[in-house]
Amino acid sequence: MPARSRSELGAESEQPATVPYGQPSHDRPANGRIAKAFSLQIVARVLGLVASIGTVTLTTRHLGPEAYGHLTTAVIFVNLWTSLTELGIGAVIVRRVTSGTGELDRLVRVNSGMAILYCVPLGVVSGVTGWLIYHDSKQVVGMILIVSGSLVLTTLATCFDPVFLTHVRFGAVAAADLTGRVGSLAATLVLVNMHAPIVWFAVVQLVPPAVTLVIEAVAAHRIIDARPVFAPGEAWELLRESLPQTGVLIIGVLYWRADGLILSLRSTASEVGAYGLAYNLAFNATVISTLYLSSSLSTMTALYSGDRHAFARFVTRSMEALGFIGAPIAVVGLVLSPQLITLFGSAEFREAGGLTLGLLLVAVALTFLTAVLSQALFAAHDQVFLLRLNIANMTLNIVLNWFLAPHFGARGAGAALVASEVVGLAVATVRLARRSPYRTPWLFALRLAIPTAAAGGVAYVLDGLPVLVTGCAAAVVYIAVDLVVGPMRLATIKAMVVSRRSAPEPDDGTGLGTVDVDVDAHAPADPPTPAPPTPGPLSGRAEYRALAAAAAALLWQWARDPITPVAAVVARFERFGPTGALFIAVSSFFLLSMRQSFTVPGTFGFSLAQTLLLGGAILWVMTAIAGYGRRPSDLAVLFAVMGYVAGSLLAYGHALGAGLGEISIQASDHYTLNDVCVLGIVLFFVVVLRSERGLRLALAGLVLGGTVSAMFGIIQYGTGMDLAPLFHLPGMKASDFQLVTDLTRQGLDRPQGSAGHPLELSAVLTLLVPLAFALVFNARARRARTWPWVICLGIIVFGALVTVSRSFVVGVVAAVVVMCWRWPIQRLATLIVSGVIVVGGGLLAGIKVMTALVQTFLGSSTDPSIASRGTGIAYVKAHYQQHLWFGEGVGVYPSLKLPVLDDQYLSRLMEAGVVGLVSYVIAVAIALYLALRASASRDAPLAELAGGISGSVAALAVIGLILDIGGFIQMWTLTWILVAVSGVVYRLYREQARAAAGPPLVTVDGPRPRPAVV
């Protein structure tokens, strides 16, 4: 029943400056802004949850149930003290500022001074009490002493929460949360590779609060003056006003953590470990309710002060929205809980943790609703009753746990939590109904039961399939059935997601209208004014008739005027960027994030990304024929690509004339068709990308796709789970032609991510490192957010390292050599020093990935792959003159099962002869030259993009010496994308140079007279 101990904040949106002391607040965050903040937070948190689940999975599999139980005991005990890190003062500060009775700067500074005084004693008290209770277990006591340091860090970090809550600007906090989770994952990977003892896993608990403190402190100081002030009188006033909320937080933390504490005292360590794993998995979902409620706290408080009926409608819609999300979590989660606990833990956790996870997921769904009611009671200034209710609920929970834990272990703790949540939900509902016009939406709940039952049935029937597949199928059925017969409609979802950009609007009776409340801080609150009657919603057949009539009218309008709705859709997409560039970005994302072995039916074996890009190219050709398409102006790139395609066609014709076997003909047909399609893809890129923003979107699509692939590789390396085959659209044809398994190097299993081979994953990520660098510094030059691209860069680099491939090191060095000529000396020095620290620290710490990579270079003389390349070079020397000028035909060499070359240049020489090799070298050289020229642009954002492209092309040229690029779909397509964007960035550079030079001089008085002839 009680709310969580600390607000979890998220995405950033705009908000006026702090309300002056004693002045009413006229500007409230609109519900559209709340929905936007909620949506952005969810996107950021999805990545964080993946990292958290990876951390839990690695830890449980490494430690096992008993050792993980000891770690869970230490963490749970320290978390009992987290309520004292914030004391409820943050909510009091938000309430004072939003009601116009306090100044944000002063209140935050006073709170910071008070936190500095008591943070260290709090950590000491936690450690001493832990030693007194668990003195029989030295291991648990040592971990409690370590984890107690997180209390000091959290106490200091929570002082800045009111700044972001009041301004509704949560970007930095979302970055801190995500960075902390990724840091925990990285630290856990290091410990697992080092086979570190259990005590070191307690140190990982310090990473998130430390990162949060640093990032939030910097961000808060940019908004206000947050330097601490030691004012005992003002601090006492804050503390006295927050005492009821402090009590609620203390009871809340005891409520959530008492079960684990009692379990550690009354049951075995294995039961504690199973409960800890189930708890961590289940309560990751509470981020949904926490983010939504933290974004709507100030709005709910203002609504209760100004309009009780609007407040009731807002609470009702919040209950419906979170109930819509929580219902499938409870039902589907209960069905799939044994498979989930085995997937993220191991079979050892299944017996004790299977049913426990199901019960905790039911409790999570109930907390979605109780959290809304708790915040509503707080907004209604009913903290005293909330405190009494939480005390009674906590007592019930402790009593149930005390009696159930010895007999049922972790399952008893889960059942006790569900029972206490039900009691708290019922009592809070009755109380809120007495304090406001709020009524429970029973009709909504009844209609929601239909799609929930359908989703649960699908999960039960498909129980034998992989749990992730079953869960996705249940989610699809849930949404589909709801849209047909359920209570949530597309219009309702749209109203909750789309942010309102217009002026304040009157409430429409849905609780989703814009909030604009004027509260006089000096006058007593006026009695609530009854809201005007609003027409109730249609019910039964009338609703379906209205929907059918609206659908018929919409179809008739589209039939009469198909251009207008299409233009409206295009206009919506153009808010994110040029439509064509956005299409290219999406296609590029699917190129690198999805395995290209999944093909679209009826497309001659093309993947989704290839189908999208070729479809766009065909569309451009059709519009050009009709006279509407833009003419390409990047002649250097076009002539280079046309020369390459001509070389492939000449080799194809020469091979057919010389005679080929059936298998070789099929291979040559396939590879030659791909080379012809290259021309269409390049044409599509150079025609569609017309601005720096469009080019940036295309590169962003590549980097994001590579980030997903790298994440798949990291998870596969750390847990052994290959999630990449699950990432594809329904209906696509699967082929295992490119999938390679059991590839090890230096005793490590090398992941392949979304690529077809670990070598391809390494090569793709190597080409993306300069592009990610470019996006980081491009954002910095535009004064935009850089942290998303920094995170992507870190994931890409780590994903490339776990492939243990020499091509990554060689390619990055080549990229840096090319890019550094345009860099400031400080940037180059920082990069070199950081690289030395990372490599040296990894070697000193004995990290397997780093030592394996070094051994790969030291043992090159005995490496089988190097020996096979020598065999291939000897074969080329002996046979290349047999087809000197036009080669054996594109794609013929691998079909003949000849020695592996692992060299793009030698492969091109054998397949297309000297003509084909020269055409390929010219294309890469022109791309590198154009990108280097463009990197001299005076426009800093464009120059950064050009520098990144030049680095990627340089890495491509070097990797071609040690990898047959043409044999991998992702690498081959990415090669020509880089050639295309080189031409685009050079064209943009020339256009800006001409614009800076000004218009040409023109004679306005007509032609100059000729001199007289003598």
Side-chain angles (χ1 to χ4, degrees), residues 57-70:
T57 302
L58 289 172
T59 306
T60 53
R61 292 186 175 183
H62 179 74
L63 297 180
E66 185 173 357
Y68 186 70
H70 291 313

Side-chain angles (χ1 to χ4, degrees), residues 129 289 495 739 894:
T129 53
S289 62
L739 301 183

Side-chain angles (χ1 to χ4, degrees), residues 279-353:
Y279 188 93
N280 285 328
L281 293 177
F283 278 85
N284 273 323
T286 57
V287 64
I288 300 172
S289 62
T290 305
L291 292 179
Y292 180 81
L293 294 175
S294 64
S295 301
S296 61
L297 173 61
S298 57
T299 301
M300 193 176 289
T301 304
L303 279 174
Y304 185 82
S305 301
D307 188 346
R308 302 290 173 85
H309 289 274
F311 167 80
R313 289 192 296 269
F314 187 85
V315 174
T316 300
R317 299 311 175 197
S318 298
M319 291 284 287
E320 292 177 353
L322 294 179
F324 177 76
I325 299 174
I329 291 177
V331 176
V332 178
L334 187 61
V335 176
L336 301 179
S337 56
Q339 291 86 344
L340 288 172
I341 204 76
T342 305
L343 174 66
F344 295 108
S346 63
E348 298 174 318
F349 290 89
R350 185 184 182 105
E351 181 180 357

Side-chain angles (χ1 to χ4, degrees), residues 86 99 122 191 213 405 517 555 665 726 747 824 829 838 889 958 973 976-977:
E86 204 262 345
S99 61
L122 178 62
L191 296 180
L213 174 60
V517 181
L555 291 175
I665 290 177
L726 303 178
V838 170
V958 174
T973 309
W976 297 106
I977 289 177

Side-chain angles (χ1 to χ4, degrees), residues 140 155 193 250 312 426 429-430 610 696 831 835 864 909 962 989 994:
V140 174
T155 302
N193 286 325
I250 293 175
T429 300
V430 174
Q610 291 176 308
R696 185 182 352 122
L831 179 63
L909 175 63
I962 54 179
Y989 160 67
R994 285 195 294 266

